[in-house]
PDB file of all heavy atoms in Angstrom:
ATOM      1  N   ALA A   1       0.797  -1.205  -0.002  1.00  0.00           N
ATOM      2  CA  ALA A   1      -0.004   0.005  -0.010  1.00  0.00           C
ATOM      3  C   ALA A   1       0.841   1.273  -0.010  1.00  0.00           C
ATOM      4  O   ALA A   1       0.528   2.247  -0.657  1.00  0.00           O
ATOM      5  CB  ALA A   1      -0.940   0.000   1.227  1.00  0.00           C
ATOM      6  N   GLU A   2       1.955   1.235   0.726  1.00  0.00           N
ATOM      7  CA  GLU A   2       2.829   2.415   0.778  1.00  0.00           C
ATOM      8  C   GLU A   2       3.457   2.658  -0.604  1.00  0.00           C
ATOM      9  O   GLU A   2       3.638   3.829  -1.014  1.00  0.00           O
ATOM     10  CB  GLU A   2       3.912   2.238   1.804  1.00  0.00           C
ATOM     11  CG  GLU A   2       3.398   2.328   3.222  1.00  0.00           C
ATOM     12  CD  GLU A   2       4.483   2.029   4.270  1.00  0.00           C
ATOM     13  OE1 GLU A   2       5.159   2.940   4.690  1.00  0.00           O
ATOM     14  OE2 GLU A   2       4.604   0.828   4.683  1.00  0.00           O
ATOM     15  N   ARG A   3       3.765   1.597  -1.304  1.00  0.00           N
ATOM     16  CA  ARG A   3       4.376   1.745  -2.633  1.00  0.00           C
ATOM     17  C   ARG A   3       3.344   2.113  -3.710  1.00  0.00           C
ATOM     18  O   ARG A   3       3.616   2.918  -4.583  1.00  0.00           O
ATOM     19  CB  ARG A   3       5.166   0.476  -2.960  1.00  0.00           C
ATOM     20  CG  ARG A   3       6.265   0.227  -1.950  1.00  0.00           C
ATOM     21  CD  ARG A   3       7.149  -0.963  -2.293  1.00  0.00           C
ATOM     22  NE  ARG A   3       8.005  -1.306  -1.176  1.00  0.00           N
ATOM     23  CZ  ARG A   3       9.165  -0.746  -0.907  1.00  0.00           C
ATOM     24  NH1 ARG A   3       9.653   0.195  -1.682  1.00  0.00           N
ATOM     25  NH2 ARG A   3       9.903  -1.132   0.142  1.00  0.00           N
ATOM     26  N   ARG A   4       2.167   1.478  -3.607  1.00  0.00           N
ATOM     27  CA  ARG A   4       1.139   1.765  -4.596  1.00  0.00           C
ATOM     28  C   ARG A   4       0.491   3.107  -4.431  1.00  0.00           C
ATOM     29  O   ARG A   4       0.274   3.854  -5.379  1.00  0.00           O
ATOM     30  CB  ARG A   4       0.030   0.694  -4.532  1.00  0.00           C
ATOM     31  CG  ARG A   4      -1.127   0.902  -5.495  1.00  0.00           C
ATOM     32  CD  ARG A   4      -2.049  -0.265  -5.535  1.00  0.00           C
ATOM     33  NE  ARG A   4      -3.270  -0.077  -6.303  1.00  0.00           N
ATOM     34  CZ  ARG A   4      -3.355  -0.126  -7.637  1.00  0.00           C
ATOM     35  NH1 ARG A   4      -2.278  -0.403  -8.358  1.00  0.00           N
ATOM     36  NH2 ARG A   4      -4.491   0.095  -8.265  1.00  0.00           N
ATOM     37  N   TYR A   5       0.176   3.464  -3.201  1.00  0.00           N
ATOM     38  CA  TYR A   5      -0.537   4.716  -2.911  1.00  0.00           C
ATOM     39  C   TYR A   5       0.360   5.843  -2.404  1.00  0.00           C
ATOM     40  O   TYR A   5       0.025   7.052  -2.600  1.00  0.00           O
ATOM     41  CB  TYR A   5      -1.695   4.499  -1.918  1.00  0.00           C
ATOM     42  CG  TYR A   5      -2.709   3.514  -2.444  1.00  0.00           C
ATOM     43  CD1 TYR A   5      -2.739   2.178  -2.011  1.00  0.00           C
ATOM     44  CD2 TYR A   5      -3.638   3.905  -3.427  1.00  0.00           C
ATOM     45  CE1 TYR A   5      -3.667   1.267  -2.501  1.00  0.00           C
ATOM     46  CE2 TYR A   5      -4.548   2.982  -3.942  1.00  0.00           C
ATOM     47  CZ  TYR A   5      -4.585   1.702  -3.444  1.00  0.00           C
ATOM     48  OH  TYR A   5      -5.475   0.809  -3.940  1.00  0.00           O
ATOM     49  N   GLY A   6       1.451   5.487  -1.797  1.00  0.00           N
ATOM     50  CA  GLY A   6       2.358   6.489  -1.240  1.00  0.00           C
ATOM     51  C   GLY A   6       3.563   6.859  -2.085  1.00  0.00           C
ATOM     52  O   GLY A   6       4.367   7.678  -1.669  1.00  0.00           O
ATOM     53  N   GLY A   7       3.667   6.227  -3.255  1.00  0.00           N
ATOM     54  CA  GLY A   7       4.765   6.549  -4.151  1.00  0.00           C
ATOM     55  C   GLY A   7       6.128   6.140  -3.634  1.00  0.00           C
ATOM     56  O   GLY A   7       7.176   6.646  -4.114  1.00  0.00           O
ATOM     57  N   VAL A   8       6.221   5.215  -2.685  1.00  0.00           N
ATOM     58  CA  VAL A   8       7.491   4.782  -2.145  1.00  0.00           C
ATOM     59  C   VAL A   8       8.230   3.990  -3.230  1.00  0.00           C
ATOM     60  O   VAL A   8       7.662   3.045  -3.808  1.00  0.00           O
ATOM     61  CB  VAL A   8       7.303   3.933  -0.867  1.00  0.00           C
ATOM     62  CG1 VAL A   8       8.652   3.443  -0.369  1.00  0.00           C
ATOM     63  CG2 VAL A   8       6.565   4.775   0.163  1.00  0.00           C
ATOM     64  N   LEU A   9       9.461   4.298  -3.450  1.00  0.00           N
ATOM     65  CA  LEU A   9      10.252   3.654  -4.519  1.00  0.00           C
ATOM     66  C   LEU A   9      10.707   2.227  -4.017  1.00  0.00           C
ATOM     67  O   LEU A   9      10.727   1.929  -2.863  1.00  0.00           O
ATOM     68  CB  LEU A   9      11.470   4.480  -4.842  1.00  0.00           C
ATOM     69  CG  LEU A   9      11.158   5.898  -5.349  1.00  0.00           C
ATOM     70  CD1 LEU A   9      12.443   6.656  -5.651  1.00  0.00           C
ATOM     71  CD2 LEU A   9      10.217   5.857  -6.560  1.00  0.00           C
ATOM     72  N   ASP A  10      10.988   1.415  -5.047  1.00  0.00           N
ATOM     73  CA  ASP A  10      11.288   0.018  -4.781  1.00  0.00           C
ATOM     74  C   ASP A  10      12.480  -0.199  -3.886  1.00  0.00           C
ATOM     75  O   ASP A  10      12.561  -1.227  -3.194  1.00  0.00           O
ATOM     76  CB  ASP A  10      11.487  -0.714  -6.096  1.00  0.00           C
ATOM     77  CG  ASP A  10      11.239  -2.204  -5.975  1.00  0.00           C
ATOM     78  OD1 ASP A  10      10.307  -2.618  -5.246  1.00  0.00           O
ATOM     79  OD2 ASP A  10      11.987  -2.993  -6.637  1.00  0.00           O
ATOM     80  N   ASP A  11      13.438   0.753  -3.922  1.00  0.00           N
ATOM     81  CA  ASP A  11      14.664   0.592  -3.118  1.00  0.00           C
ATOM     82  C   ASP A  11      14.661   1.416  -1.853  1.00  0.00           C
ATOM     83  O   ASP A  11      15.728   1.649  -1.258  1.00  0.00           O
ATOM     84  CB  ASP A  11      15.905   0.899  -3.974  1.00  0.00           C
ATOM     85  CG  ASP A  11      15.904   2.381  -4.439  1.00  0.00           C
ATOM     86  OD1 ASP A  11      14.890   3.048  -4.315  1.00  0.00           O
ATOM     87  OD2 ASP A  11      16.989   2.806  -4.934  1.00  0.00           O
ATOM     88  N   GLU A  12      13.500   1.860  -1.426  1.00  0.00           N
ATOM     89  CA  GLU A  12      13.432   2.763  -0.247  1.00  0.00           C
ATOM     90  C   GLU A  12      12.916   2.015   0.984  1.00  0.00           C
ATOM     91  O   GLU A  12      12.045   1.173   0.884  1.00  0.00           O
ATOM     92  CB  GLU A  12      12.511   3.980  -0.504  1.00  0.00           C
ATOM     93  CG  GLU A  12      13.127   4.958  -1.431  1.00  0.00           C
ATOM     94  CD  GLU A  12      12.254   6.167  -1.664  1.00  0.00           C
ATOM     95  OE1 GLU A  12      11.002   6.006  -1.710  1.00  0.00           O
ATOM     96  OE2 GLU A  12      12.778   7.293  -1.826  1.00  0.00           O
ATOM     97  N   MET A  13      13.540   2.346   2.130  1.00  0.00           N
ATOM     98  CA  MET A  13      13.029   1.944   3.426  1.00  0.00           C
ATOM     99  C   MET A  13      12.610   3.194   4.165  1.00  0.00           C
ATOM    100  O   MET A  13      12.856   4.293   3.704  1.00  0.00           O
ATOM    101  CB  MET A  13      14.101   1.186   4.212  1.00  0.00           C
ATOM    102  CG  MET A  13      14.659  -0.022   3.497  1.00  0.00           C
ATOM    103  SD  MET A  13      15.961  -0.880   4.422  1.00  0.00           S
ATOM    104  CE  MET A  13      14.968  -1.719   5.660  1.00  0.00           C
ATOM    105  N   LEU A  14      11.927   3.013   5.277  1.00  0.00           N
ATOM    106  CA  LEU A  14      11.405   4.181   6.036  1.00  0.00           C
ATOM    107  C   LEU A  14      11.879   4.105   7.511  1.00  0.00           C
ATOM    108  O   LEU A  14      11.703   3.082   8.141  1.00  0.00           O
ATOM    109  CB  LEU A  14       9.864   4.221   5.958  1.00  0.00           C
ATOM    110  CG  LEU A  14       9.199   5.315   6.801  1.00  0.00           C
ATOM    111  CD1 LEU A  14       9.621   6.709   6.325  1.00  0.00           C
ATOM    112  CD2 LEU A  14       7.676   5.203   6.676  1.00  0.00           C
ATOM    113  N   MET A  15      12.472   5.191   7.957  1.00  0.00           N
ATOM    114  CA  MET A  15      12.840   5.332   9.349  1.00  0.00           C
ATOM    115  C   MET A  15      11.892   6.354  10.031  1.00  0.00           C
ATOM    116  O   MET A  15      11.664   7.417   9.476  1.00  0.00           O
ATOM    117  CB  MET A  15      14.285   5.815   9.497  1.00  0.00           C
ATOM    118  CG  MET A  15      14.722   6.141  10.904  1.00  0.00           C
ATOM    119  SD  MET A  15      14.793   4.676  12.008  1.00  0.00           S
ATOM    120  CE  MET A  15      16.325   3.906  11.400  1.00  0.00           C
ATOM    121  N   ALA A  16      11.374   5.990  11.186  1.00  0.00           N
ATOM    122  CA  ALA A  16      10.576   6.925  11.989  1.00  0.00           C
ATOM    123  C   ALA A  16      11.143   6.873  13.405  1.00  0.00           C
ATOM    124  O   ALA A  16      11.404   5.807  13.957  1.00  0.00           O
ATOM    125  CB  ALA A  16       9.090   6.487  12.000  1.00  0.00           C
ATOM    126  N   LEU A  17      11.303   8.056  14.013  1.00  0.00           N
ATOM    127  CA  LEU A  17      11.911   8.135  15.328  1.00  0.00           C
ATOM    128  C   LEU A  17      11.646   9.437  16.007  1.00  0.00           C
ATOM    129  O   LEU A  17      11.406  10.439  15.330  1.00  0.00           O
ATOM    130  CB  LEU A  17      13.395   7.873  15.222  1.00  0.00           C
ATOM    131  CG  LEU A  17      14.349   8.936  14.653  1.00  0.00           C
ATOM    132  CD1 LEU A  17      15.813   8.476  14.803  1.00  0.00           C
ATOM    133  CD2 LEU A  17      14.080   9.237  13.192  1.00  0.00           C
ATOM    134  N   PRO A  18      11.667   9.477  17.334  1.00  0.00           N
ATOM    135  CA  PRO A  18      11.532  10.762  18.024  1.00  0.00           C
ATOM    136  C   PRO A  18      12.654  11.675  17.544  1.00  0.00           C
ATOM    137  O   PRO A  18      13.784  11.255  17.377  1.00  0.00           O
ATOM    138  CB  PRO A  18      11.694  10.391  19.500  1.00  0.00           C
ATOM    139  CG  PRO A  18      11.225   8.985  19.573  1.00  0.00           C
ATOM    140  CD  PRO A  18      11.714   8.349  18.273  1.00  0.00           C
ATOM    141  N   PRO A  19      12.352  12.951  17.320  1.00  0.00           N
ATOM    142  CA  PRO A  19      13.346  13.861  16.723  1.00  0.00           C
ATOM    143  C   PRO A  19      14.623  14.055  17.553  1.00  0.00           C
ATOM    144  O   PRO A  19      15.643  14.429  16.960  1.00  0.00           O
ATOM    145  CB  PRO A  19      12.583  15.169  16.563  1.00  0.00           C
ATOM    146  CG  PRO A  19      11.445  15.070  17.520  1.00  0.00           C
ATOM    147  CD  PRO A  19      11.111  13.631  17.607  1.00  0.00           C
ATOM    148  N   GLU A  20      14.578  13.798  18.857  1.00  0.00           N
ATOM    149  CA  GLU A  20      15.754  14.020  19.633  1.00  0.00           C
ATOM    150  C   GLU A  20      16.910  13.044  19.306  1.00  0.00           C
ATOM    151  O   GLU A  20      18.057  13.239  19.666  1.00  0.00           O
ATOM    152  CB  GLU A  20      15.436  13.903  21.142  1.00  0.00           C
ATOM    153  CG  GLU A  20      14.864  12.565  21.620  1.00  0.00           C
ATOM    154  CD  GLU A  20      13.326  12.603  21.650  1.00  0.00           C
ATOM    155  OE1 GLU A  20      12.725  13.436  20.871  1.00  0.00           O
ATOM    156  OE2 GLU A  20      12.760  11.806  22.416  1.00  0.00           O
ATOM    157  N   TYR A  21      16.600  11.982  18.561  1.00  0.00           N
ATOM    158  CA  TYR A  21      17.636  11.072  18.087  1.00  0.00           C
ATOM    159  C   TYR A  21      18.454  11.607  16.942  1.00  0.00           C
ATOM    160  O   TYR A  21      19.561  11.146  16.625  1.00  0.00           O
ATOM    161  CB  TYR A  21      17.032   9.719  17.699  1.00  0.00           C
ATOM    162  CG  TYR A  21      16.646   8.820  18.816  1.00  0.00           C
ATOM    163  CD1 TYR A  21      15.352   8.906  19.388  1.00  0.00           C
ATOM    164  CD2 TYR A  21      17.500   7.857  19.309  1.00  0.00           C
ATOM    165  CE1 TYR A  21      14.978   8.072  20.426  1.00  0.00           C
ATOM    166  CE2 TYR A  21      17.144   7.013  20.353  1.00  0.00           C
ATOM    167  CZ  TYR A  21      15.867   7.121  20.919  1.00  0.00           C
ATOM    168  OH  TYR A  21      15.486   6.302  21.929  1.00  0.00           O
ATOM    169  N   LEU A  22      17.890  12.576  16.206  1.00  0.00           N
ATOM    170  CA  LEU A  22      18.529  13.037  14.962  1.00  0.00           C
ATOM    171  C   LEU A  22      19.904  13.693  15.230  1.00  0.00           C
ATOM    172  O   LEU A  22      20.886  13.366  14.545  1.00  0.00           O
ATOM    173  CB  LEU A  22      17.622  13.964  14.195  1.00  0.00           C
ATOM    174  CG  LEU A  22      16.391  13.332  13.591  1.00  0.00           C
ATOM    175  CD1 LEU A  22      15.540  14.399  12.882  1.00  0.00           C
ATOM    176  CD2 LEU A  22      16.777  12.207  12.601  1.00  0.00           C
ATOM    177  N   PRO A  23      20.029  14.650  16.182  1.00  0.00           N
ATOM    178  CA  PRO A  23      21.344  15.214  16.405  1.00  0.00           C
ATOM    179  C   PRO A  23      22.400  14.175  16.774  1.00  0.00           C
ATOM    180  O   PRO A  23      23.555  14.252  16.385  1.00  0.00           O
ATOM    181  CB  PRO A  23      21.093  16.220  17.546  1.00  0.00           C
ATOM    182  CG  PRO A  23      19.660  16.601  17.393  1.00  0.00           C
ATOM    183  CD  PRO A  23      18.982  15.315  16.975  1.00  0.00           C
ATOM    184  N   ARG A  24      21.955  13.183  17.570  1.00  0.00           N
ATOM    185  CA  ARG A  24      22.859  12.094  17.954  1.00  0.00           C
ATOM    186  C   ARG A  24      23.413  11.315  16.733  1.00  0.00           C
ATOM    187  O   ARG A  24      24.562  11.047  16.612  1.00  0.00           O
ATOM    188  CB  ARG A  24      22.178  11.182  18.953  1.00  0.00           C
ATOM    189  CG  ARG A  24      22.909   9.904  19.254  1.00  0.00           C
ATOM    190  CD  ARG A  24      22.083   9.028  20.200  1.00  0.00           C
ATOM    191  NE  ARG A  24      22.435   7.618  20.095  1.00  0.00           N
ATOM    192  CZ  ARG A  24      21.742   6.665  20.693  1.00  0.00           C
ATOM    193  NH1 ARG A  24      20.692   6.965  21.461  1.00  0.00           N
ATOM    194  NH2 ARG A  24      22.113   5.376  20.549  1.00  0.00           N
TER     195      ARG A  24
END
């Protein structure tokens, strides 16, 4: 569904995380 409706490319993965991890 993510690839068909969300336009996610075949070679893409998705990371989701609380933003405080980004500077680290």
Side-chain angles (χ1 to χ4, degrees):
E2 289 175 88
R3 298 183 191 277
R4 177 171 172 81
Y5 297 103
V8 178
L9 301 179
D10 202 38
D11 62 347
E12 288 182 324
M13 303 179 77
L14 176 59
M15 175 66 76
L17 72 173
E20 58 265 26
Y21 283 89
L22 292 178
R24 169 183 157 187

